[in-house]
Amino acid sequence: MVIEAVKPLTAAEISELCVRHTMYDWSLQAGLKPLAVATAKGVRFETVDGRRFIDFNSQLMCVNAGHGDRRIIDAIKAQADKLTYISPVAATEPRARLGQKLAELLPGDIDKVFFTLGGTDANENAIKIARAVTGRRKILSRYRSYHGSTGTAIEATGDPRRWPNEGAGGVVHVLDPYHGVERGTDPAGPALQQLEETIRLEGASTIAAFILEPVAGTNGILIPPDGYLEGVREICTRNGILMICDEVMSGFGRTGKWFAVDHWGVVPDLITMAKGLTSAYVPLGAVGLRPHIAAYFDDHVFWAGLTYNSHPIGCAAALATIRAYEEDDMVGNSHRLGKVLAAQHRRLQERHPCVGAVRNIGLFGAIELVRSRRTLEPLAPFNGTSPEMKAVAQALLDAGLFTFVRWNTIMTNPPLCITQAELEEGFEILDTALEIGDRAVND
Ligand SMILES: Cc1ncc(COP(=O)(O)O)c(C=O)c1O
């Protein structure tokens, strides 16, 4: 047998071929120049042409355990050696153990899960379950939200990614308790009153569920005021509306607790997860059901299914990921270093007039840039960008810091394994890049 040596592609070739033959998310395809990434370890990744980056967004807020964790890689390999795939009608050890482990970790009495491939289909199925159990069709969701890219998940999404995708209807959006740049300082009352009023006008008997991110992610790390989630829980219960918490981004230690709802002691009827479930080493999502929801399907057919439901490699990866979180107390690290991150945020706010607001919960953070501290005019408009925001984003990349820059917001969501020294290293880069923002401040 002749084995031909395959000449590795250059960074430029990889980037060009990827753009020519594959589609990129949420963007114009012409003019894209994606980084050709070769390897990653801990909080860093490296491109094919040798550039090194510190990852301040855990990619898409998903690589919570950090890159290249041997324990997770070895578990994936071991499962691949034993059994790569079996139909979801079968029972497997990783499925059994992961189901049991999640029942232990998930809030309150949630003790059953339906496994999916990611967050979008977790939300699609949570909504489907809510409709089946209540016999109602309508779904409530919030404007500042993202719940996934297909079907009802994109209809439920409140942010502008919904606009080109909507049409089927059946979702009613409500306002959230966040206004202006200093989001998160508003009281819970007005948003709860508006929710009650919407339910009255839409008819409680027509609404199956209210889906919400307990801490909204891509829309700016929006932390609810105390009393808000508790109020939503009470309003949903009183109206027979199921509460679905989308913890796809906020789950698995990101906020300094296993799940964001744990900060307020709220137990939703359904919870969705993905991303941190496997730290994105392989795709896996899940819907968690409380016993009173799961019981409905004891004598009603569960009209849902996926070829990859409970994929053995996904389940094995998730078990190893959760074990890694536990062994290294990464949830505790997120809580502890969340305080360091908050102090770094405040330092930037003191030093840079362009920093209008900062907020975080655990290692889930965001910095909002403004043109004026007085008017709090954002440095880029809602759903848009500006030359100054583009320049700040470019300066971060040039200095070796990878993060998510959206509208006027810079995200600070590093892997939960980050050390204080690594965190401070990232903030030094932010400190320098923000000087560009300062030059745009007009008072
Ligand atoms: C809160 C939330 N829900 C759902 C999704 C969709 O998950 P996925 O991209 O895995 O389908 C995301 C993805 O960013 C998310 O942040």
Side-chain angles (χ1 to χ4, degrees):
M1 189 170 63
V2 181
I3 299 174
E4 275 184 47
V6 180
K7 190 170 143 292
L9 297 175
T10 65
E13 284 168 341
I14 292 171
S15 187
E16 196 273 322
L17 279 172
C18 284
V19 172
R20 188 167 353 142
H21 295 298
T22 72
M23 299 294 286
Y24 278 76
D25 298 357
W26 310 115
S27 50
L28 295 173
Q29 304 295 301
L32 291 174
K33 287 196 178 58
L35 286 175
V37 178
T39 57
K41 186 78 191 158
V43 298
R44 295 177 206 277
F45 66 91
E46 192 169 327
T47 61
V48 173
D49 50 6
R51 294 172 64 195
R52 274 167 70 75
F53 291 88
I54 182 162
D55 185 351
F56 245 45
N57 201 53
S58 312
Q59 296 306 296
L60 286 177
M61 294 90 149
C62 52
V63 188
N64 291 10
H67 299 274
D69 189 304
R70 257 296 124 211
R71 296 163 291 189
I72 308 172
I73 295 167
D74 288 345
I76 292 169
K77 284 182 168 171
Q79 186 56 45
D81 279 340
K82 252 188 268 169
L83 176 72
T84 50
Y85 177 76
I86 198 78
S87 154
V89 300
T92 66
E93 185 167 344
R95 178 179 182 165
R97 288 194 184 281
L98 180 60
Q100 187 184 37
K101 184 70 196 174
L102 288 173
E104 180 196 308
L105 292 179
L106 285 165
D109 55 356
I110 298 173
D111 75 343
K112 200 163 200 172
V113 291
F114 174 57
F115 288 116
T116 64
L117 282 84
T120 300
D121 53 341
N123 285 330
E124 293 289 356
N125 281 288
I127 288 168
K128 198 168 169 174
I129 289 168
R131 285 177 168 159
V133 171
T134 59
R136 304 170 176 180
R137 289 293 304 165
K138 225 178 278 167
I139 300 296
L140 294 181
S141 68
R142 300 189 304 186
Y143 279 103
R144 295 184 194 279
S145 68
Y146 178 67
H147 296 296
S149 59
T150 64
T152 314
I154 193 70
E155 296 271 346
T157 292
D159 83 19
R161 281 173 281 189
R162 167 175 47 90
W163 300 349
N165 284 299
E166 63 193 342
V171 178
V172 174
H173 292 91
V174 296
L175 287 169
D176 24 47
Y178 321 110
H179 305 286
V181 163
E182 286 170 318
R183 294 178 240 278
T185 53
D186 309 88
L192 292 174
Q193 280 155 19
Q194 198 243 350
L195 174 64
E196 289 248 43
E197 180 72 349
T198 305
I199 291 171
R200 223 181 342 264
L201 296 172
E202 288 291 334
S205 63
T206 69
I207 303 167
F210 182 22
I211 182 167
L212 68 162
E213 296 171 77
V215 175
T218 39
N219 281 276
I221 321 301
L222 305 172
I223 304 154
D226 288 343
Y228 176 75
L229 288 174
E230 299 92 314
V232 168
R233 177 66 277 182
E234 190 278 318
I235 292 168
C236 284
T237 304
R238 182 155 38 81
N239 289 284
I241 295 168
L242 300 184
M243 182 178 184
I244 305 175
C245 281
D246 176 346
E247 294 246 15
V248 168
M249 195 174 275
S250 58
F252 294 96
R254 176 55 58 196
T255 65
K257 289 196 185 277
W258 280 99
F259 294 93
V261 288
D262 296 339
H263 288 275
W264 295 276
V266 165
V267 184
D269 300 291
L270 293 153
I271 190 167
T272 56
M273 68 210 89
K275 295 186 186 269
L277 173 57
T278 58
S279 269
Y281 279 48
V282 292
L284 190 74
V287 186
L289 302 78
R290 287 178 78 173
H292 67 282
I293 307 295
Y296 174 85
F297 297 102
D298 288 343
D299 51 5
H300 296 83
V301 172
F302 181 49
W303 288 110
L306 294 162
T307 299
Y308 304 123
N309 168 8
S310 307
H311 196 288
I313 293 184
C315 291
L319 272 171
T321 302
I322 293 169
R323 207 173 303 128
Y325 294 150
E326 287 181 332
E327 274 174 19
D328 296 355
D329 187 24
M330 287 194 226
V331 182
N333 200 47
S334 172
H335 173 71
R336 283 185 297 277
L337 286 193
K339 293 186 181 152
V340 177
L341 187 132
Q344 290 286 344
H345 273 169
R346 279 195 301 274
R347 192 174 74 94
L348 292 184
Q349 195 168 22
E350 279 157 19
R351 287 170 54 77
H352 295 282
C354 70
V355 174
V358 290
R359 56 184 167 269
N360 75 295
I361 178 166
L363 290 173
F364 205 18
I367 303 170
E368 294 221 24
L369 303 194
V370 294
R371 289 188 189 282
S372 156
R373 283 259 182 94
R374 191 174 46 79
T375 63
L376 294 180
E377 182 195 346
L379 193 54
F382 177 77
N383 197 31
T385 186
S386 65
E388 295 90 347
M389 281 307 294
K390 282 187 183 160
V392 173
Q394 191 58 51
L396 292 173
L397 271 184
D398 290 345
L401 185 130
F402 171 88
T403 192
F404 192 48
V405 178
R406 187 177 194 246
W407 310 347
N408 70 319
T409 304
I410 301 174
M411 305 284 179
T412 48
N413 305 305
L416 311 184
C417 63
I418 196 165
T419 63
Q420 182 161 344
E422 289 165 335
L423 198 62
E424 286 164 359
E425 180 189 330
F427 272 97
E428 284 309 310
I429 297 175
L430 277 162
D431 190 10
T432 307
L434 286 176
E435 286 167 16
I436 296 170
D438 292 341
R439 292 200 279 277
V441 172
N442 55 23
D443 62 2

